[in-house]
Amino acid sequence: MKLKPATLRDVAQAAGVSLITASRALGNPDIVSAKTRERVRQAVEATGYIPNMLAGGLKSKRSLTVAGVIPALSVTEFLPVLQALTSDLAREGYQLLLGEAGYDPAREAAVLDTMIGRQPDGIVVVGLVQTQRARDRLRRSGLPVVEIWELSDRPVDMSVGFSHLKVGSALGGYFVSKGWKQVGAISGSDPRARLRTEGFKAAFGGHVPMAVVQPPSNLERGRRALAELLEQAPGLEAVCCTSDMLASGVLTEARARGIRVPQDLAVCGFGNTDFSAHTVPSITTVHVDGPEMGRLAARLIMDRCRGKAVEQSVVDVGFHLIERESTGGTA
């Protein structure tokens, strides 16, 4: 037999208080005594009552939720961002609701339509919103929106991230400084990875053989991409990968072929994922401060919810190169 969910009336009866007192104890606890709050709390525990957040939200005009849209949940580089965002929102009494766009502009637009319809108190999008229709719809919604992991001089609302083009340019300059002549690139086909590769090729100059993989990146695709590159350029000296996961796949394929890293082939990744310092050899990579992006996004949303003016709507968190064993550095 299915049990009926407990109601606020059940809580009031269990606590021995009026319905309005029980409501105040849960929704506006500062106006009731500590003794009453404790009785109501115990009654909630005893009855298993779960407050109707939708009903409360209609009264307060707050849902206590923030919607997040991410390209793929399997991308390890995004995890520190989401962890910091979730933690900081939770401290303010908010929950993060996630939707996955699958690197598909149409799917992203559909997810955003659903999220807007749920009326969260804000929306955080990993990457720039890809379609003009979705951007216009977000602006018309009036909700605070933060696009993270990428920068724009014309964000939907607010932006916290870094320049992927500059990341690629910095890596190209690094490869030039190392004196490598025969270099290749392994890139995801998504817009951010393409920007990093574009910056790399422009800074390096000359011919750069490429292997392009579908996102999300994984170790298998990194292995296959190196095999493809070696067919194009058997004398390859170094390879630049648009993710640490691809770089890890390159290390695996190189080891299987008896290619020494970095003596025969130098390898560089991106993202400074938690495993990159612990592979053998450790992976040279680009660090971006994911937790800081998450914290800043949460702060911007909360400030807007409180009616505070946002002094800086576009924040560049920057990046830096970490040189490790895979390019001849130290662990």
Side-chain angles (χ1 to χ4, degrees), residues 158-181:
M158 298 172 283
S159 175
V160 177
F162 57 96
S163 169
H164 292 263
L165 196 65
K166 288 181 179 179
V167 166
S169 180
L171 288 171
Y174 174 69
F175 274 47
V176 169
S177 73
K178 299 293 283 188
W180 298 317
K181 304 298 182 184

Side-chain angles (χ1 to χ4, degrees), residues 156-308:
V156 169
D157 185 11
M158 298 172 283
S159 175
V160 177
F162 57 96
S163 169
H164 292 263
L165 196 65
K166 288 181 179 179
V167 166
S169 180
L171 288 171
Y174 174 69
F175 274 47
V176 169
S177 73
K178 299 293 283 188
W180 298 317
K181 304 298 182 184
Q182 302 297 317
V183 308
I186 298 175
S187 174
S189 62
D190 59 282
R192 288 172 294 279
R194 290 202 303 266
L195 275 174
R196 295 195 292 274
T197 304
E198 179 184 329
F200 174 80
K201 292 170 67 177
F204 182 79
H207 177 60
V208 178
M210 281 189 60
V212 179
V213 304
Q214 292 297 313
S217 301
N218 60 31
L219 189 145
E220 178 189 3
R221 289 171 181 168
R223 292 193 65 173
R224 290 181 177 179
L226 178 59
E228 180 183 335
L229 273 184
L230 290 174
E231 288 183 5
Q232 298 180 51
L236 203 62
E237 297 175 85
V239 59
C240 180
C241 303
T242 56
S243 76
D244 287 346
M245 188 61 74
L246 289 174
S248 180
V250 169
L251 294 184
T252 303
E253 182 64 20
R255 189 178 302 113
R257 291 170 176 258
I259 298 171
R260 300 171 302 165
V261 177
Q263 295 92 334
D264 304 323
L265 179 69
V267 180
C268 184
F270 166 82
N272 193 27
T273 47
D274 55 2
F275 64 80
S276 62
H278 305 288
T279 56
V280 179
S282 55
I283 299 172
T284 291
T285 187
V286 173
H287 174 78
V288 291
D289 197 338
E292 180 66 4
M293 279 186 274
R295 288 189 290 267
L296 287 170
R299 186 187 311 161
L300 289 170
I301 293 287
M302 290 297 97
D303 283 351
R304 287 283 299 277
C305 286
R306 296 184 179 113
K308 293 178 61 177

